[in-house]
Amino acid sequence: PRRSARIRPNPGSGATRLNRTTALPRAAPAESASIAALVVEDSLLVRRALRTMLLGVPAVTRIGAVGCAEDALTLLGAGPRPRYGLLIADLQLPRMGGLELLAEVRRRYAAAAPVLFVVTAASEDATVRHELAALGVAEVFGKPLSRTDFVAACSAALPSGP
C-alpha cells in the first residue's frame, strides 16, 4: 500500500562495518519471508548505521551497500525482477542523485520494484515529497535516524511470511 512520504527526524544511531554485500549468519524461520536489502548511501558512517539497524529486521537475510546510484543499479540487476526486495537510498548522492535512482528503479522494475525507503539530511520541500510519494516511496527518514522507528517501519513494510 502506498502512503505519502514523510520525514522522520530523530537523534541517535549505531554503526558497524559494511562492505558491498553481507550475508547474515542467521537463517530466516521457514514461515518468514527472506528479503535482501540494498543500502545506497555515500557516507560510510551512515551505511554502517543502516546496516546495524537492518540486522534487527527479521525478514532481512542479506544486506548489500554501495556509495553511489550507478553501483546500486548494477547490483539490482538487469532482469525483470530486482535482486533486492528493499532499497534504502539517500537523496544526496554523487553523480546520479537519489531521486533519479528511484525513478530509474521504478522505470526498470515497475510493479516488481523493491520497497523503497529514503534517508535524507535535509528537510525536503513539498515538491520533492510529492515526487517521492509518486514513486511509491514507503517512508522518508531524516538523519540521524531512530533505530526503533526505522526497524519498525522496515518490519511493517516487508512481507512477514505466507
Side-chain angles (χ1 to χ4, degrees):
R2 287 190 181 186
R3 296 186 287 172
S4 63
R6 63 184 185 279
I7 295 179
R8 291 182 171 195
N10 200 35
S13 67
T16 62
R17 183 168 173 105
L18 178 67
N19 290 317
R20 286 275 180 172
T21 301
T22 303
L24 304 184
R26 69 175 188 264
E31 68 274 1
S32 294
S34 176
I35 303 291
L38 180 59
V39 175
V40 188
E41 168 61 61
D42 58 331
S43 164
L44 180 59
L45 182 63
V46 176
R47 277 198 311 268
R48 289 176 175 175
L50 289 167
R51 180 189 185 275
T52 299
M53 290 181 210
L54 285 168
L55 293 171
V57 180
V60 174
T61 57
R62 186 168 51 100
I63 302 169
V66 293
C68 68
E70 295 84 358
D71 288 347
L73 292 171
T74 299
L75 281 182
L76 284 165
R81 300 191 65 78
R83 293 182 185 134
Y84 293 84
L86 173 62
L87 178 67
I88 301 154
D90 186 5
L91 287 183
Q92 305 298 318
L93 295 168
R95 297 179 300 278
M96 177 189 280
L99 202 54
E100 294 84 5
L101 168 63
L102 298 173
E104 178 61 17
V105 167
R106 191 56 72 194
R107 185 194 68 73
R108 276 190 189 186
Y109 302 110
V115 174
L116 304 173
F117 277 25
V118 165
V119 292
T120 182
S123 178
E124 303 305 328
D125 66 25
T127 303
V128 172
R129 286 193 306 272
H130 177 74
E131 288 180 64
L132 293 171
L135 289 168
V137 171
E139 292 284 343
V140 177
F141 290 93
K143 295 177 192 172
L145 288 82
S146 158
R147 177 188 306 262
T148 303
D149 289 348
F150 183 76
V151 169
C154 287
S155 296
L158 297 174
S160 58

